[in-house]
Amino acid sequence: MRIIGIDLGKEGYIVELDTEMRLARALRMPICLDGTVNSDMIFSLFSFKKADCIITEQMNIPPAFGASSAFKFGWHCGQWTQILKGTRFKQLSAVTWQKIMQDRKSTRLNS
């Protein structure tokens, strides 16, 4: 099974897990000099159409964002909507995936 997880922030990462090959790889979000997502690099390294599962963080604009920051944030999320167009992806809230990771960490520590 091939799973791709994406932290959509500009400081985020793209992580791919291949359970059959027992491989994992990660890439810090590639950003061009103009601040846009480097989709050419992403498409050259990841095949979203071949992934069994794509998970992204559900993004919300923090209330403290000013107009300019909110626009840039929306532009960034829109780029990802285009990159993932034609794929089936799921969005998880940060609270949900953090709870899952914490539960797994606790399970390992208690084993």
Side-chain angles (χ1 to χ4, degrees), residues 4-15 27-31 35-43 46-48 54-57 59 72-87 89 91:
I4 297 176
I6 307 166
D7 177 352
L8 296 176
K10 282 192 172 187
E11 301 294 321
Y13 278 81
I14 305 166
V15 177
L27 173 70
R28 187 172 182 151
M29 187 65 64
I31 302 295
T36 59
V37 175
N38 188 337
S39 57
D40 290 337
M41 179 183 283
I42 292 168
F43 285 126
F46 296 93
S47 177
F48 295 110
I54 302 171
I55 301 169
T56 68
E57 183 175 351
M59 302 301 288
K72 288 176 187 174
F73 184 79
W75 182 268
H76 183 78
C77 291
Q79 287 181 292
W80 270 105
T81 299
Q82 286 299 102
I83 290 169
L84 296 174
K85 187 171 97 176
T87 67
F89 64 95
Q91 292 184 315

Side-chain angles (χ1 to χ4, degrees), residues 49-103:
K49 304 262 188 216
K50 292 182 181 177
D52 297 300
C53 181
I54 302 171
I55 301 169
T56 68
E57 183 175 351
Q58 185 176 7
M59 302 301 288
N60 298 306
I61 295 178
F65 268 27
S68 177
S69 295
F71 182 81
K72 288 176 187 174
F73 184 79
W75 182 268
H76 183 78
C77 291
Q79 287 181 292
W80 270 105
T81 299
Q82 286 299 102
I83 290 169
L84 296 174
K85 187 171 97 176
T87 67
R88 291 182 294 160
F89 64 95
K90 298 175 185 168
Q91 292 184 315
L92 292 179
S93 69
V95 172
T96 300
W97 69 257
Q98 288 168 358
K99 181 175 179 355
I100 291 168
M101 295 307 290
Q102 187 61 41
D103 289 348

